[in-house]
Amino acid sequence: MRSVDETHSRPEGTSDATVEAVGKLSEAFEVIEEARGSLYAFHRNLGRADLTLGEAVEQLREAGHDAIADEVETDLLGRNVLAGRWTFQVIEEFDDGYYATFREHDRRVRDELMGGRRHVYEAEMKQERRTHDRPGHEATPEDV
């Protein structure tokens, strides 16, 4: 099948099954990217919560509740979210382990089977689904 441009065209002799399989692997990696974004949001939200908690502890002290402020500060402020870890450590372990391994497999498979070309499955789908010669349905920005 013809693609939208050479950059997204399947290598000569590549089967439909291979294009679909590599596309499915890339789809799985996109889900990992989305999960990674959620992990970074989790990291930022917990950091913001800890900073806000620090403000609450200060306000409890200012309101004359030193014992309660001390208890919250000692037990909760700066507490690990997982055993021995703050969220930055969780992110680093994820990024350096599972994420890096998944990304490398996605890249290696694409390099070996698709000549390094990305989104070949989607590019072919675009060609199949778009209305040719209709404004808003151009194959590439150059065609606008």
Side-chain angles (χ1 to χ4, degrees):
M1 171 179 281
R2 192 170 80 73
S3 186
V4 293
D5 57 26
E6 281 303 311
T7 304
H8 298 97
S9 295
R10 68 173 67 190
E12 186 70 33
T14 303
S15 70
D16 289 346
T18 298
V19 170
E20 289 176 23
V22 174
K24 188 60 73 174
L25 178 62
S26 291
E27 180 183 349
F29 185 60
E30 289 170 4
V31 175
I32 294 304
E33 289 284 15
E34 189 174 358
R36 184 173 181 248
S38 296
L39 184 59
Y40 272 81
F42 174 74
H43 162 64
R44 292 184 51 88
N45 285 331
L46 282 173
R48 188 169 33 252
D50 193 67
L51 293 173
T52 303
L53 178 63
E55 293 171 7
V57 167
E58 289 176 22
Q59 290 178 357
L60 285 167
R61 280 206 177 86
E62 290 170 4
H65 306 289
D66 290 340
I68 293 173
D70 288 345
E71 183 180 323
V72 171
E73 181 178 43
T74 301
D75 191 45
L76 194 53
L77 192 69
R79 185 181 184 103
N80 291 327
V81 297
L82 296 173
R85 292 181 188 90
W86 272 22
T87 56
F88 76 89
Q89 292 164 306
V90 174
I91 284 175
E92 288 177 358
E93 187 173 330
F94 174 78
D95 278 352
D96 295 345
Y98 187 81
Y99 177 78
T101 301
F102 205 125
R103 183 182 61 215
E104 181 53 37
H105 280 287
D106 180 58
R107 184 182 342 238
R108 182 183 54 78
V109 169
R110 190 175 58 245
D111 286 349
E112 285 183 28
L113 300 178
M114 303 306 291
R117 295 175 176 135
R118 298 180 293 171
H119 298 108
V120 172
Y121 180 82
E122 291 91 336
E124 290 181 1
M125 183 189 307
K126 179 178 182 176
Q127 279 296 81
E128 180 182 305
R129 295 177 63 91
R130 73 187 186 91
T131 303
H132 295 258
D133 300 321
R134 181 164 179 89
H137 290 255
E138 296 83 9
T140 67
E142 292 78 24
D143 297 333
V144 175

